[in-house]
């Protein structure tokens, strides 16, 4: 009678002993099998031993390796039900990096791609009779592929054109299972971001027109992945192709479709969608970089004609025939006078004003747009200022150049998008020429603020500072339209800015008298201890961290929290972003606080020293920190935002007995000290505190006034 299928005979050897042929029950846990082997040689502490292949690979055998081998065989089963169940298990287990490594070592990626390339035709023949089964099978196959590739073990450059075409075909179909479409979009995004060759192949297979319908649906996750693919194609396009692609996006009315079906849809925008909209916003504004960094050529007649057009619109000057040197001189004098009225620094040759980069030719483009599309406002500003006294006129030309430069700085034109930022502005999706309209609103604000400040030419920089504050404060309210932005600015007059500044100064009042400084010094340790306890309490609550990679998957999370006794850090991977705290017992890994050697931040983090676009991003560097423990071991973090970064770096430093040095600690310390000082001085309100303590009075001549309690 043959032995049960789960029983296998294996030769096992131990150095210095004779090999043994042992029967192993595959149903038993691996730890139980290792214990039996160790007992056979009377080896104590079986938990310190492992089985290892004796072939050239020398791989250690783990439960996950065993699972990988079994799943590799099961997904090739001839039974459709068995195959479906195996693919479902594979999709779940592939999240684990150890399992993924083992499955990939079995050439599992190639097997999955073959199933996608050739297997789908065979499955499609069965689709009419078993449509749900086909959809689930393909969905699990693509999910497993995405999870395995997400570990970064296999290069994206290894995939065939046939595989790319197959994935693209799923995206191009008008009716396809949502999960299949989602995975296919995710794969295309990764291909574009991780391989220049694949970018070119994907760009040939996918057009913007084929992606647009996916934005018009109601599934926000599909919309997010679709915008992510568009962003990836936009980001990786050669410089000479980006403007062409932007024109295609405009022709396909991408902006208005996003505004209607995403931004103004009757549902909240989640963080991942906000990030993708932010990336699209940045990439769109970065198209301005070329003009921003282009100097004007004073000899280029076409460029000089733009300045002539600005003058013509403002003063309605008609060209005069000039055949004599006298008329030439007269016209030159008239032009110089008009260029002065237009507010150029160089009245004789205003083209020289646009030779500084930034803002370069972008400033001239903005001025021409304002003159043509808001002609009445343009003429009013120019004529209004040309009629003032010289010292009180707001120079339109100089103001436009400096304002364009300031707006580029605010919107970070030319910088790569951050991997962690969600800061998109809905109002920029409401107009095809949003930057130019933004400028038109702000140049009118600048002129209004100039008048409110009764500024002169010496006050130019002060006015620009106030205007920047007005614009920044209005942007923080996230207006939904340009009109709403304009309305916010109306409420932020120069008088209102002064009130806000005065209020902030009062709230941040710093008492500098010696008694107050001594009181601060006395109560500061109590405040620092209070901040320390708050930081540690937050670590006990824990934080969900996102596992970032070049594609920024939205469903990769891990959680870390400190034990209530402050002795152990518990951490582990999560299926999805948690709602509330995650219990300690559901987090698989532990790190004793006593084993922590150091906490490093920014570019000193081991994972920030690796190569890659993500690692070079400035904002990601500012959110990165690592815990170093044992020898060459580290636990790497990228905080979800600056606040969490400060909380965790402060808390970890407090655990190690080091000072909390974050900006948040300084701000909290200042705020709490100020509050405590004010509370303690409530009874002394309106009483001036002397800089020096009062002198000690002389002793009295007698003590007859003392009352004897006895």
């Amino acid at each position: 009678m043959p032995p049960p299928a789960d029983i296998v005979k294996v030769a096992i050897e131990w150095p210095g002993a004779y090999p043994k042929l042992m029967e192993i029950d595959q149903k038993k846990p691996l730890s139980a099998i290792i214990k039996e082997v160790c007992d056979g040689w009377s080896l104590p502490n079986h938990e310190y031993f492992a089985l290892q292949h004796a072939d050239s690979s020398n791989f250690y055998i783990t439960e996950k390796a065993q699972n990988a081998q079994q799943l590799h065989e099961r997904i090739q089963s001839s039974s459709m039900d068995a195959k479906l169940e195996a693919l479902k298990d594979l999709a779940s287990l592939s999240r684990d990096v150890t399992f993924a490594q083992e499955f990939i070592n079995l050439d599992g990626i190639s097997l999955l791609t073959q199933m996608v390339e050739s297997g789908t035709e065979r499955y499609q023949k069965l689709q009419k009779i078993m449509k749900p089964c086909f959809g689930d099978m393909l969905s699990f196959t693509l999910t497993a592929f995405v999870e395995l590739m997400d570990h970064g073990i296999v290069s994206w450059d290894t995939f065939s054109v046939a595989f790319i075409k197959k994935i693209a075909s799923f995206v191009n179909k008008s009716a396809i299972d949502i999960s299949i479409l989602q995975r296919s979009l995710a794969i295309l995004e990764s291909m574009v971001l991780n391989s220049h060759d694949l970018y070119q192949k994907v760009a040939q297979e996918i057009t913007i027109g084929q992606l647009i319908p996916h934005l018009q649906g109601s599934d926000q996750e599909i919309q997010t992945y679709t915008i992510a693919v568009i962003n990836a194609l936009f980001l990786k396009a050669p410089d000479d192709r980006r403007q062409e692609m932007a024109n295609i996006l405009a022709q396909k009315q991408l902006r208005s479709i996003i505004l209607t079906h995403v931004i103004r849809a009757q549902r909240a925008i989640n963080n991942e969608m906000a990030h993708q909209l932010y990336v699209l916003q940045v990439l769109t504004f970065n198209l301005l970089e070329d003009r921003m960094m282009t100097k004007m050529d004073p000899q280029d007649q076409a460029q000089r004609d733009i300045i002539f057009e600005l003058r013509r619109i403002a003063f309605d000057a008609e060209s005069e025939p000039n055949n004599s040197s006298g008329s030439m001189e007269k016209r030159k004098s008239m032009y110089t006078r008009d260029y002065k009225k237009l507010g150029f620094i160089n009245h004789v040759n205003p083209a020289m004003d646009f030779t500084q980069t930034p803002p370069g030719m972008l400033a001239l483009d903005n001025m021409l747009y304002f003159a043509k599309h808001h002609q009445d406002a343009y003429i009013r500003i120019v004529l209004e200022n040309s009629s003032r006294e010289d010292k009180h006129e707001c120079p339109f030309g100089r103001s436009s150049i400096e304002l364009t430069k300031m707006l580029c700085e605010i919107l970070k034109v030319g910088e790569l998008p951050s991997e962690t930022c969600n800061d998109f502005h809905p109002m920029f999706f409401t107009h095809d020429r949003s930057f130019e309209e933004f400028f038109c609103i702000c140049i009118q604000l600048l002129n209004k603020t100039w008048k409110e400040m009764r500024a002169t030419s010496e006050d130019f920089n002060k006015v620009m500072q106030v205007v920047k504050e007005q614009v920044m404060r209005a942007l923080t309210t996230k207006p939904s339209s340009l009109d709403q932005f304009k309305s916010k600015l109306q409420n932020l007059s120069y008088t209102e800015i002064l009130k806000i500044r005065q209020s902030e100064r009062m709230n941040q009042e710093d008492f500098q008298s010696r008694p107050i400084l001594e009181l601060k010094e006395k109560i500061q340790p109590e405040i620092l201890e209070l901040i320390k306890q708050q930081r540690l309490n937050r670590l006990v609550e824990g934080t969900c961290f996102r596992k970032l990679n070049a594609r920024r998957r939205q469903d990769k999370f891990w959680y870390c929290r400190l034990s209530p006794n402050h002795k152990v850090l518990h951490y582990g991977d999560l299926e999805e972003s948690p709602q509330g705290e995650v219990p300690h017992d559901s987090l698989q890994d532990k790190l004793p606080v006593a084993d922590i050697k150091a906490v490093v931040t920014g570019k000193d983090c081991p994972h920030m020293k690796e190569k890659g676009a993500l690692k070079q991003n400035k904002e990601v560097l500012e959110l990165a920190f690592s815990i170093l423990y044992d020898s060459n071991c580290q636990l790497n973090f990228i905080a979800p935002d600056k606040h969490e970064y400060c909380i965790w770096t402060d808390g970890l430093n407090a655990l190690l007995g080091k000072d909390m040095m974050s900006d948040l600690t300084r701000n909290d310390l200042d705020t709490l000290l100020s509050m405590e000082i004010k509370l303690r001085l409530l009874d002394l309100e309106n009483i001036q505190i002397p800089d020096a303590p009062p002198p000690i009075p002389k002793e009295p001549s007698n003590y007859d006034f003392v009352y004897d309690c006895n």
Side-chain angles (χ1 to χ4, degrees), residues 395-409:
F396 174 73
R398 182 186 176 191
S399 298
S400 297
I401 292 168
E402 290 301 318
L403 179 64
T404 300
K405 182 179 178 181
M406 185 185 80
L407 297 182
C408 288
E409 290 172 356

Side-chain angles (χ1 to χ4, degrees), residues 113-130:
T113 55
Q114 288 169 15
M115 291 172 66
V116 173
E117 287 176 31
S118 59
T120 48
E121 284 87 352
R122 182 161 56 87
Y123 297 150
Q124 284 170 333
K125 292 177 182 178
L126 302 172
Q127 190 173 3
K128 290 184 180 179
I129 58 173
M130 50 189 309

Side-chain angles (χ1 to χ4, degrees), residues 338-347 353-354 367 370 378 381-386 388-404 439 443 446-448 450-451 455-461 463-464:
D338 289 347
Y339 290 148
K340 183 180 180 182
K341 290 180 180 179
L342 280 170
F344 290 113
I345 297 174
N346 192 320
H347 308 150
D353 287 13
F354 301 95
M367 293 168 71
F370 181 50
Y378 167 69
I381 286 176
V382 173
L383 296 183
E384 192 177 83
N385 284 292
S386 64
R388 293 183 193 169
E389 297 179 33
D390 282 351
K391 67 175 185 177
H392 284 292
E393 67 178 9
C394 177
F396 174 73
R398 182 186 176 191
S399 298
S400 297
I401 292 168
E402 290 301 318
L403 179 64
T404 300
F439 167 84
I443 192 65
L446 193 154
N447 188 65
K448 172 175 171 283
W450 185 282
K451 289 188 291 184
T456 63
S457 55
E458 289 81 11
D459 300 318
F460 186 86
N461 291 333
V463 175
M464 293 303 298

Side-chain angles (χ1 to χ4, degrees), residues 277-286 423-425 428-429:
L277 291 172
Y278 152 78
V279 172
L280 182 59
Q281 172 185 292
V282 171
L283 294 176
T284 303
F285 284 143
N286 280 355
D423 190 25
F424 86 97
H425 294 278
F428 291 130
F429 289 85

